[in-house]
């Protein structure tokens, strides 16, 4: 809870809103945000597989089961690393690698198509201990962009590589490259065709038919806390269907889609990337905790469910703090997500 | 000055440091940071032309006069826009356009060369009123990347375009494109040759000989406050000499190199871009003002002269707040910089 002396810092309304929200027991997402723990758990991990309309109408029981199963498998992969004393960084990389290889999600295999019928992949990763980071934007021949982001962090003096140059770096550093056909899935191709037909009718506004928005905010991400108290975050995506002009969203932008610092939290976002860049969402959660003493839940909720809602930025985020608390707020209809701690593992969609 | 009730938020040492700094009259840069003004000036504008070693030994009186004259001309261009009731956004764009066209600075004409002997330009701009933003990374045929960033902001649904795609967007939107030879300057070419020779001796570590670091942090930037109280920020660069793999620095990264919000401040950075990305420097200044009630001077100094110094991130920033206060802190030997308000205009290097 906030202390009285902080009120002056909170500009009135914001505080009221957080207090309201904390008190609101009806809110489904709020119940996922566990109260602060007395003792740090041995590990904590959370994942997302994108947020958006995710309308129940478009979902069959089989499809839902497949998503739930994939999210569960991803969590088990991360948990296994952490249970065996592995680092949060390795857990994040391995978990996202699995999600990239799974064609259900818009990242790696299963990535959406650009206007020109290509797959251009973005990813980033950040180490909360050193605050080193690696990011790649617009790569088309790299099987697991999260592994390339990790290599950029570990093996280059740089943070952010793009396009052909990033691919060249991948080749020089023995990161798996692959025939771009690997990324092809008929569903994503069909979505592009529908969107192109839609656009032909409506003109090239760049705006999508709401019915097609199931695919709009596809992203995968993972945040983790390991036994040593180290935090890490990572995010990977194929971006927006029908994107043009080598557009980058927030996923490869450190501070927007991904942020981690052992002194507070690790954050991975999914949503309408332009808004997440403009409000530096991942760093904003960190700043609210660090500079305003908000709890993880308060900070994450404030950004996602107040600020972004007011600004019109749809999406969500996953976050874990240094005490092992987890927050999974979103302001869209659904967000593929899950978390695990010793003795509990849960996946959710709506 | 800080109020007592804020002390708990300041984690002890940080506060002491800021108080020390404020009291320190010997510090050259501190004297540039004017005390809070009673009344907002009709306008305020600040510029930078990069930070780095800028050793006096390498500087001739003629060269210094040329830099000072160019900085002064740039300020006059921005001031003219603002005096005539123009927007801060137009002032930023026009001022940076001038700096891009001036071969003295590492942006536009005068950009440094990549490892492959190309010029890859990055830029971003942000409107403090709407918090819309535009950014471009790795363009090679766009005469004024800041104008392209502005067009991305104004005429696309996106924030961040890169490489060939960004160039295609420029062509589609009648932004001036140009033969890449335009960007060639013999001095920058010579620097690349020296660096390649150096690298051949030392191996491709990506690290530069300190003697060549005059060029390392070349960037130009502008922040402005207009008569309507609107803030804007922009940044443009050719990046690092000898950069590879389509590396992006902080200049095109909203939150890192550029940030603006009418509720607090506008910021443009220059320095070792990787550090500015990892600490989301421009957004961090905004966050310290917004969440911790620091003044512009306190926030900017804390980030540049404490946090970045501790982390090893060399560079500086320029910032203006909604009251017209200006801060120009740097932790390197020098920073080409200047500011203007009604009745005063000043340019500085060391």
């Amino acid at each position: 809870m906030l202390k009285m002396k902080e009120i002056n810092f909170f500009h009135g309304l914001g505080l009221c809103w957080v207090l309201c929200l904390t008190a609101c027991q009806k809110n489904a997402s709020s119940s996922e945000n566990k109260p602060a723990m007395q003792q740090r758990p041995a590990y904590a991990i959370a994942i997302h597989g994108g947020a958006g309309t995710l309308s129940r109408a478009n979902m069959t029981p089989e499809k839902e089961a497949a998503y739930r199963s994939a999210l569960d498998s991803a969590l088990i992969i991360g948990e296994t690393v952490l249970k065996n004393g592995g680092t949060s960084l390795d857990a994040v990389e391995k978990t996202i690698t699995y999600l990239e290889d799974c064609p259900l999600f818009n990242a790696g295999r299963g990535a959406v198509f650009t206007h020109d019928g290509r797959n251009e992949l973005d990813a980033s990763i950040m180490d909360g201990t050193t605050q080193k980071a690696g990011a790649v934007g617009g790569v088309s021949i790299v099987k697991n962009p999260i592994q390339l982001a990790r290599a950029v962090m570990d093996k280059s003096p740089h943070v952010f590589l793009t396009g052909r140059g990033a691919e060249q770096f991948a080749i020089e550093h023995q990161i798996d490259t692959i025939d771009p056909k690997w990324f092809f899935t008929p569903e994503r191709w069909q979505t592009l065709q529908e969107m192109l037909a839609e656009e032909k009718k409506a003109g090239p506004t760049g705006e999508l038919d709401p019915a097609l928005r199931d695919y709009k905010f596809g992203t995968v991400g993972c945040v983790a806390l390991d036994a040593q108290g180290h935090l890490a975050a990572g995010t990977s995506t194929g971006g927006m269907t029908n994107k043009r002009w080598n557009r980058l969203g927030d996923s490869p932008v450190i501070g927007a889609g991904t942020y981690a610092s052992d002194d507070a939290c690790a954050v991975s976002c999914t949503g309408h990337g332009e808004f997440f860049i403009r409000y530096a969402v991942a760093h904003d959660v960190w700043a609210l905790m660090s500079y305003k003493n908000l709890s993880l839940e308060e900070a994450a909720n404030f950004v996602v469910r107040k600020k972004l809602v007011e600004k019109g930025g749809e999406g969500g985020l996953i976050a874990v703090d240094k005490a092992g608390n987890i927050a999974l707020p979103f302001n869209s209809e659904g967000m593929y997500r899950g978390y695990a701690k010793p003795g509990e593992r849960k996946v959710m969609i709506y």
Side-chain angles (χ1 to χ4, degrees), chain A residues 186-242:
Chain A
E187 294 78 9
R188 303 301 195 197
W189 182 254
Q190 183 56 30
T191 305
L192 174 65
Q193 302 317 312
E194 290 166 15
M195 217 165 275
L196 291 174
E198 192 73 24
E199 193 174 84
K200 214 169 173 181
K201 274 195 288 181
T205 60
E207 293 302 319
L208 314 181
D209 179 329
L212 300 173
R213 288 175 63 183
D214 264 21
Y215 298 92
K216 190 169 182 183
F217 304 138
T219 317
V220 305
C222 180
V223 294
L225 169 75
D226 64 28
Q228 283 68 47
H230 296 323
L231 293 167
T235 312
S236 180
T237 189
M240 289 166 74
T241 301
N242 197 27

Side-chain angles (χ1 to χ4, degrees), chain A residues 40-301:
Chain A
R40 197 180 80 205
Y43 64 84
I45 183 168
I47 57 172
H48 69 75
T53 315
L54 301 180
S55 60
R56 285 177 201 264
N58 289 348
M59 187 66 91
T60 62
E62 294 73 25
K63 210 166 147 186
E64 183 169 333
Y67 275 108
R68 287 182 178 277
S69 164
L71 291 168
D72 202 55
S73 300
L75 279 173
I76 291 171
I77 287 167
E79 270 197 287
T80 304
V81 173
L82 296 167
K83 277 179 183 169
N84 292 330
T87 66
S88 52
L89 212 48
D90 285 342
V92 164
E93 181 187 339
K94 286 197 167 56
T95 304
I96 292 182
T97 294
Y98 173 84
L99 291 165
E100 285 177 339
D101 287 343
C102 174
L104 289 171
F105 302 103
N106 174 18
R109 196 170 177 217
V112 299
F113 286 90
T114 68
H115 184 72
D116 300 326
R118 289 160 45 89
N119 305 102
E120 293 177 352
L121 313 172
D122 312 323
S124 65
I125 193 164
M126 188 159 186
D127 177 350
T129 308
T130 59
Q131 287 198 266
K132 285 194 168 188
V136 294
V139 295
S140 293
I141 60 164
V142 176
K143 180 169 171 283
N144 292 106
I146 195 70
Q147 294 179 8
L148 179 54
R150 175 82 186 263
V152 170
M153 179 174 80
D154 289 344
K155 298 173 183 171
S156 90
H158 302 309
V159 168
F160 200 172
L161 306 183
T162 55
R164 294 290 163 109
E167 293 172 350
Q168 184 58 37
F169 182 86
I171 292 164
E172 290 172 23
H173 291 82
Q174 289 82 49
I175 302 296
D176 277 354
T177 53
I178 209 162
D179 186 316
K181 281 181 205 153
W182 164 259
F183 300 113
F184 180 91
T185 54
E187 294 78 9
R188 303 301 195 197
W189 182 254
Q190 183 56 30
T191 305
L192 174 65
Q193 302 317 312
E194 290 166 15
M195 217 165 275
L196 291 174
E198 192 73 24
E199 193 174 84
K200 214 169 173 181
K201 274 195 288 181
T205 60
E207 293 302 319
L208 314 181
D209 179 329
L212 300 173
R213 288 175 63 183
D214 264 21
Y215 298 92
K216 190 169 182 183
F217 304 138
T219 317
V220 305
C222 180
V223 294
L225 169 75
D226 64 28
Q228 283 68 47
H230 296 323
L231 293 167
T235 312
S236 180
T237 189
M240 289 166 74
T241 301
N242 197 27
K243 68 183 177 183
R244 303 167 196 226
W245 308 304
N246 298 133
R247 173 257 186 193
L248 300 181
D250 62 315
S251 300
V253 176
I254 297 299
T258 301
Y259 208 72
S261 177
D262 277 3
D263 62 12
C265 60
V267 183
S268 167
C269 300
T270 175
H272 194 152
E274 278 71 12
F275 286 86
F276 285 67
I277 294 176
R278 288 164 52 197
Y279 299 102
V281 165
H283 185 262
D284 205 25
V285 172
W286 174 86
L288 283 162
M289 292 185 71
S290 302
Y291 298 146
K292 213 163 180 164
N293 271 6
L294 294 201
S295 70
L296 180 76
E297 181 180 345
E298 290 165 343
N301 279 336

